[in-house]
Amino acid sequence: MEPLLKVDNLSTHYFTRAGVVKAVDKISFEVAEGETVGIVGESGCGKSATVLSIMRLIQTPPGRVVDGRIMFSPGEGKAPVDLLTVPEAEMQALRGNMVAMVFQDPMTSLNPVLTIGWQLREPLQLHLGMNKREARDRSIELLQLVNIPSPEQRLDDYPHQFSGGMRQRVMIAMAMACNPKLLLADEPTTALDVTIQAQILELMKKLQEKLKMSVVLITHDLGVVGEVCDRVLVMYAGEIIESASVDDLFDNPKHPYTRGLLQSVPKLGPTVKDRMEPIDGAPPDLIAMPPGCRFAPRCPKKFDLCKDEPTLKEVGPNHKCACWLY
């Protein structure tokens, strides 16, 4: 059975005056139908650049996808298409319709001079051919779906009249408008308090089950990963360094960087004795990568082989790791 999304050897670089920034460097992964895949890692490791590459929204210049394929299966008996090579008109038909995205910052992702209703109606009229009345009725349903009170009145409000959590709900409603097969969520709970975070995550889980869609979730929060994901990709300096099911990753992390991430999570409770252990050092300069393993300068377990770059290999059932320890 073909995966819904298959990313093969994807490389996205930014060409700057200082040099070439290898934001995403030869990564490969798959997303099955109905699966939730989490992508975790420090800021600047290439998570957002990965999903923006899938949506073909990398700003050019300075960014450009320099290599790879992104195969997407639209279903209904249609052959998979490479999102990097389809004509722009076909990509526009897929973007927001079959493949949707919840952007990282709802404050800047919503147009401040257009009403919420106008912004919700646009994809419905563009992709589904609805008239204004039908699109308004569907917009009311969408706001009800994401638990926004008095949706008929709120449609005529502007983004500044909504709280941060409600703006994020509107972003989710816009992404769900056309019942996409694949949702890319770039840190959908960033800058929200923990209560609203829990509500947003619960909402996304319910909508995923209802619409039977696949989700790629980017987050810094390993608690969120453990709550909603089926499988996890750990990124470091533009590369995927570990891939495993969520249970296997939490129970048996292989890569020293993954262990460092888990040890950096605060632990609660009166009997907790382990201190939180930060990862020493800082991520490498993406313009001047260190030779060999990119994590070696920060790794407590480095040894002679680390001067050569490891590849992602099977270290267990459905568990891959790029480390010379294995």
Side-chain angles (χ1 to χ4, degrees):
M1 185 176 178
E2 283 289 328
L4 179 68
L5 180 75
K6 184 176 182 180
V7 176
D8 184 26
N9 206 41
L10 176 67
S11 295
T12 300
H13 297 172
Y14 288 86
F15 298 86
T16 70
R17 292 179 181 178
V20 179
V21 178
K22 297 180 179 180
V24 179
D25 197 18
K26 300 176 184 177
I27 70 168
S28 301
F29 64 93
E30 297 179 358
V31 181
E33 289 192 19
E35 184 181 31
T36 301
V37 175
I39 303 179
V40 300
E42 293 170 290
S43 295
C45 70
K47 305 184 300 296
S48 295
T50 298
V51 293
L52 289 173
S53 299
I54 294 171
M55 292 292 283
R56 223 159 87 180
L57 291 176
I58 294 292
Q59 184 175 346
T60 304
R64 189 168 77 243
V65 177
V66 298
D67 194 16
R69 298 192 309 162
I70 302 174
M71 304 304 296
F72 175 73
S73 299
E76 300 175 357
K78 298 178 182 178
V81 296
D82 186 352
L83 299 182
L84 295 178
T85 61
V86 296
E88 181 59 29
E90 186 175 345
M91 188 64 203
Q92 287 185 6
L94 288 170
R95 191 189 294 127
N97 184 15
M98 303 290 285
V99 184
M101 184 168 177
V102 178
F103 292 92
Q104 186 169 355
D105 186 2
M107 303 282 192
T108 57
S109 299
L110 293 169
N111 192 321
V113 300
L114 298 175
T115 65
I116 294 298
W118 197 100
Q119 296 181 67
L120 279 169
R121 289 198 310 269
E122 184 182 28
L124 297 169
Q125 293 177 281
L126 179 65
H127 293 299
L128 303 183
M130 293 184 178
N131 59 39
K132 191 173 181 179
R133 179 72 245 177
E134 292 170 335
R136 181 178 176 85
D137 291 342
R138 173 61 176 158
S139 298
I140 292 171
E141 292 177 11
L142 288 168
L143 292 186
Q144 289 173 335
L145 196 65
V146 296
N147 300 323
I148 289 183
S150 306
E152 297 88 348
Q153 289 76 41
R154 301 315 301 265
L155 278 179
D156 298 320
D157 288 344
Y158 290 85
H160 72 272
Q161 295 173 280
F162 286 68
S163 68
M166 291 178 73
R167 276 192 289 259
Q168 195 66 285
R169 290 169 187 266
V170 171
M171 291 295 299
I172 293 173
M174 291 174 64
M176 303 291 187
C178 300
N179 296 340
K181 293 175 68 68
L182 174 65
L183 177 68
L184 308 174
D186 189 358
E187 301 192 34
T189 58
T190 296
L192 301 178
D193 63 69
V194 290
T195 305
I196 302 300
Q197 280 189 30
Q199 294 174 0
I200 294 292
L201 292 172
E202 185 65 24
L203 172 64
M204 289 183 63
K205 285 175 65 176
K206 287 181 179 178
L207 292 176
Q208 180 185 15
E209 292 170 2
K210 182 176 180 179
L211 301 176
K212 294 180 172 57
M213 66 181 176
S214 302
V215 177
V216 175
L217 175 67
I218 291 176
T219 181
H220 287 99
D221 192 334
L222 290 170
V224 170
V225 169
E227 180 71 22
V228 302
C229 294
D230 302 310
R231 194 158 50 88
V232 190
L233 309 176
V234 181
M235 288 191 71
Y236 183 79
E239 295 182 322
I240 294 175
I241 60 170
E242 189 161 3
S243 169
S245 68
V246 66
D247 292 336
D248 198 12
L249 190 90
F250 277 74
D251 293 341
N252 189 23
K254 298 290 187 182
H255 200 284
Y257 177 66
T258 307
R259 294 177 186 172
L261 288 179
L262 292 170
Q263 288 169 351
S264 299
V265 176
K267 300 174 181 64
L268 302 177
T271 60
V272 173
K273 297 180 181 179
D274 296 334
R275 290 176 59 87
M276 188 173 69
E277 299 179 22
I279 301 173
D280 292 334
D285 184 351
L286 297 182
I287 294 176
M289 295 286 192
C293 175
R294 297 178 184 183
F295 185 62
R298 308 173 68 187
C299 183
K301 296 183 178 293
K302 66 181 176 183
F303 61 112
D304 290 344
L305 273 179
C306 297
K307 66 180 183 296
D308 298 321
E309 187 170 0
T311 56
L312 199 64
K313 294 182 178 179
E314 292 274 354
V315 294
N318 298 316
H319 194 149
K320 294 182 179 181
C321 180
C323 181
W324 287 115
L325 290 172
Y326 310 98

